[in-house]
Amino acid sequence: MKRIAVLTGAGVSAESGIKTFRDAGGLWEGHDVMEVASPEGFAKNPELVMEFYNLRRRQLFEVQPNAAHIAIAQLEKDFHVNVITQNVDDLHERAGSTDVLHLHGELLKVRSVHGYESIEWKKDLHIGDLHTDGSQLRPDIVWFGEPVPAIEDAMDIVAKADYLIVVGTSMQVYPAAGLVDYAADDVPVYYIDPNPAKLHNLRNPFEVLAMKASEGMPIVAEKLRTNL
Ligand code: APR
């Protein structure tokens, strides 16, 4: 089976009703991103950060995967598909994707402030909720300035892919945005985004679909199936 790597960002979940960060003017629900998504922000106001992620976690139970998540999941009928997502929601999994790498962590997981072992967590998280080792639990989210532990696995996936699809990302946040550079030179790259970023120095065959994910994903899926 041919291998497809699908790199997704906030835009793939936009039509499910989850706001993208940069389309909201750089504010997440009225907060500067560094207040709620950085170790410094957590040190300064841990209650605010916990509440911010509690709200986002609760919102997850009110939204559903959209046609783009579903089109990505259905590629698995004909291809070996690896989803690499910058999103912390679980909409790819709920649409049926079986191999999803979360570069920036997951809303439905927490971890100790001292370690990387993920623990499933569906309810609100508060200061005082402790790991069995006695340390405070925190959202299992990769905040700005923190290492991205899954990036090497993501590089391997992209390097082995026969096709690369990039959906709904402004390609501004590294190291995720640099992953396209790991595709072999002859690998076709499809980029679906109504407001696509300019990708410089890309040698690959490259097609931009300047449209919503729910419109562009089925088109790309059809093209790839026709090539089989
Ligand atoms: N379909 C596809 N793309 C869309 C749609 C849609 N319906 N609506 C908006 N977009 C696009 C925007 O044009 C933009 O290019 O989604 C992209 C969202 O960009 P960002 O908000 O920057 O999200 P993302 O690229 O995922 O951000 C990367 O930065 O905010 C941090 O850690 C967070 O994982 C996130 C990372």
Side-chain angles (χ1 to χ4, degrees):
M1 263 188 172
K2 296 268 191 192
R3 304 178 77 94
I4 304 182
V6 189
L7 173 63
T8 70
V12 81
S13 294
E15 292 166 80
S16 294
I18 299 181
K19 270 198 203 127
T20 65
F21 163 54
R22 287 173 184 82
D23 288 339
L27 293 182
W28 266 342
E29 309 294 343
H31 297 292
D32 181 291
V33 65
M34 297 308 275
E35 263 178 37
V36 291
S38 73
E40 296 78 13
F42 186 57
K44 198 166 153 200
N45 194 343
E47 285 84 4
L48 172 76
V49 174
M50 292 296 208
E51 191 49 22
F52 175 75
Y53 287 100
N54 286 342
L55 289 171
R56 298 187 57 136
R57 197 179 300 105
R58 280 185 229 155
Q59 182 195 27
L60 260 193
F61 298 104
E62 290 161 18
V63 298
Q64 300 298 331
N66 66 54
H69 299 105
I70 293 167
I72 293 168
Q74 289 183 348
L75 284 172
E76 292 189 19
K77 288 183 193 156
D78 299 299
F79 299 93
H80 179 107
V81 183
N82 290 99
V83 178
I84 303 168
T85 188
Q86 299 167 82
N87 299 342
V88 295
D89 64 54
D90 64 343
L91 294 179
H92 284 301
E93 288 89 343
R94 279 157 58 192
S97 285
T98 58
D99 198 331
V100 184
L101 187 69
H102 284 270
L103 282 178
H104 295 163
E106 294 178 66
L107 271 176
L108 297 181
K109 292 189 176 160
V110 298
R111 66 176 174 88
S112 148
V113 292
H114 298 308
Y116 282 99
E117 174 216 357
S118 297
I119 300 165
E120 295 203 11
W121 195 274
K122 294 201 167 131
K123 54 192 183 187
D124 284 0
L125 180 68
H126 298 289
I127 299 298
D129 287 330
L130 303 182
H131 189 272
T132 47
D133 69 7
S135 59
Q136 174 65 45
L137 291 169
R138 57 161 273 185
D140 192 8
I141 302 285
V142 175
W143 287 329
F144 286 99
E146 294 190 316
V148 180
I151 196 69
E152 293 202 356
D153 288 345
M155 289 169 180
D156 278 353
I157 290 168
V158 174
K160 286 185 190 137
D162 299 299
Y163 301 100
L164 177 61
I165 308 174
V166 180
V167 196
T169 169
S170 60
M171 298 294 274
Q172 288 186 34
V173 174
Y174 283 79
L179 282 171
V180 286
D181 298 333
Y182 290 82
D185 285 356
D186 58 340
V187 163
V189 178
Y190 299 90
Y191 179 25
I192 305 165
D193 194 302
N195 186 17
K198 297 225 168 12
L199 300 191
H200 298 290
N201 303 326
L202 196 64
R203 292 175 298 266
N204 301 61
F206 183 48
E207 186 173 341
V208 177
L209 293 93
M211 56 182 79
K212 290 180 176 176
S214 63
E215 294 163 4
M217 250 329 294
I219 294 173
V220 171
E222 188 53 35
K223 277 179 198 265
L224 296 182
R225 285 198 185 99
T226 312
N227 283 347
L228 280 176

